Amino acid sequence: MKILKNLYAYRELLKTSVKKDVRGKYKKSTLGVIWSFLNPLLQIAVYAFVFGVILGAEEENYAVFICCGLIPWTFFSAAINRTAFTMIENGNILKKVYFPREILPISVVTAEAVNFVISSIIILCFVIFSGIGFSWTWIFYPLLLVVMYIFLIAVSFFVSSITVYFRDLQHFIGVFLQLLFYATPIAYSTERVPASFSWVVKLNPVAYIIEGFRDIFIYHSIPDLLSLSVVLLGSLLLAVIGYFVFDKLQKGFAEEL
């Protein structure tokens, strides 16, 4: 209940921080918000060419297939990378001004969630113009977004607080995300994973979320609600533990920073 009270008491600060983050991301660039669409499109084009043309991926509508995997992954990786640095980047503010420290990682994840929602327009365009079309299964989009959001909040509590004391964690996170990218069915389908390595995908919560987006956008089917429920409950539990760790470690932030 402590974190909920803090978020409510400082809701204007959280709102302002998220707005500043979203608006300031491409503030000084010539193309501005267009980069929110251009960056994912360029990545999709590269991966579609490498895996779809050169390596000959067998998945139907491969551009749409990679789009539904790459855009959620970008949300996931960007949120983790940025929350790992958020305490260090705001070290001067933390030393001078009091506010609930959890505002920082939560605002970063929320801002990235807003960027993800904007980027999801690309998924809709790919789905519509490829001929796949509309489907009532799109109503599960908010569920998938909430599951990933809570999971990222949980992870952000750990990485943002531990990095203050163990700076090398930032580099480990970069390596880990590279490995996790290939261990997640982004450029390939789960059916292509050898049986001996299927446990890697089954233990990967991001895999269930990405498969959920493909289910609702490409296959027009209901996502695996049982697996998503397990991921959601696990994320909530992880968030509680993560906040407990964050709350204990934040007492020494000012000294370490």
Side-chain angles (χ1 to χ4, degrees), residues 183-204:
T184 304
I186 298 171
Y188 57 87
S189 63
T190 53
E191 289 76 16
R192 298 180 63 179
V193 179
S196 56
F197 292 99
S198 61
W199 60 272
V200 176
V201 176
K202 291 180 180 179
L203 293 177
N204 184 355

Side-chain angles (χ1 to χ4, degrees), residues 10-245:
Y10 290 83
R11 60 189 180 280
E12 291 301 323
L13 175 60
L14 177 61
K15 186 190 302 183
T16 302
S17 180
V18 172
K19 285 183 178 179
K20 181 180 178 182
D21 195 321
V22 173
R23 292 175 179 174
K25 188 172 184 180
Y26 304 112
K27 187 176 181 180
K28 294 183 180 181
S29 64
T30 304
L31 296 179
V33 72
I34 295 177
W35 282 109
S36 294
F37 301 99
L38 192 57
N39 271 333
L41 284 173
L42 291 174
Q43 292 182 24
I44 292 168
V46 170
Y47 282 103
F49 178 74
V50 173
F51 290 97
V53 178
I54 297 179
L55 298 180
E58 299 177 355
E59 286 77 12
E60 189 176 355
N61 292 316
Y62 190 72
V64 185
F65 181 88
I66 194 72
C67 178
C68 290
L70 195 58
I71 290 181
W73 171 261
T74 301
F75 170 33
F76 174 78
S77 59
I80 292 181
N81 272 319
R82 291 192 58 210
T83 52
F85 285 92
T86 187
M87 293 301 171
I88 299 171
E89 290 177 345
N90 294 279
N92 291 331
I93 299 176
L94 292 174
K95 294 177 183 179
K96 298 176 182 178
V97 182
Y98 171 76
F99 59 91
R101 299 335 193 195
E102 59 269 21
I103 290 287
L104 291 177
I106 291 176
S107 66
V108 170
V109 175
T110 305
E112 289 300 331
V114 173
N115 289 327
F116 169 68
V117 172
I118 296 173
S119 297
S120 294
I121 297 175
I122 297 174
I123 299 179
L124 299 182
C125 291
F126 268 85
V127 168
I128 293 171
F129 291 111
S130 66
I132 295 176
F134 295 90
S135 174
W136 67 271
T137 55
W138 292 8
I139 64 174
F140 290 101
Y141 175 89
L143 171 64
L144 295 167
L145 176 59
V146 168
V147 173
M148 181 170 275
Y149 179 79
I150 294 176
F151 178 68
L152 285 171
I153 290 292
V155 175
S156 72
F157 285 147
F158 286 102
V159 298
S160 63
S161 57
I162 296 175
T163 304
V164 175
Y165 297 88
F166 183 57
R167 303 295 175 90
D168 287 345
L169 181 61
Q170 301 169 29
H171 305 291
F172 281 113
I173 288 174
V175 174
F176 174 75
L177 288 175
Q178 286 184 344
L179 295 175
L180 188 61
F181 175 85
Y182 293 102
T184 304
I186 298 171
Y188 57 87
S189 63
T190 53
E191 289 76 16
R192 298 180 63 179
V193 179
S196 56
F197 292 99
S198 61
W199 60 272
V200 176
V201 176
K202 291 180 180 179
L203 293 177
N204 184 355
V206 185
Y208 294 105
I209 298 172
I210 288 178
E211 285 298 309
F213 282 112
R214 285 180 176 144
D215 284 336
I216 66 172
F217 286 120
I218 300 178
Y219 308 119
H220 292 176
S221 62
I222 299 175
D224 188 347
L225 297 180
L226 177 60
S227 297
L228 289 174
S229 298
V230 173
V231 174
L232 178 59
L233 292 175
S235 298
L236 289 171
L237 177 60
L238 192 65
V240 172
I241 298 173
Y243 180 70
F244 177 79
V245 172

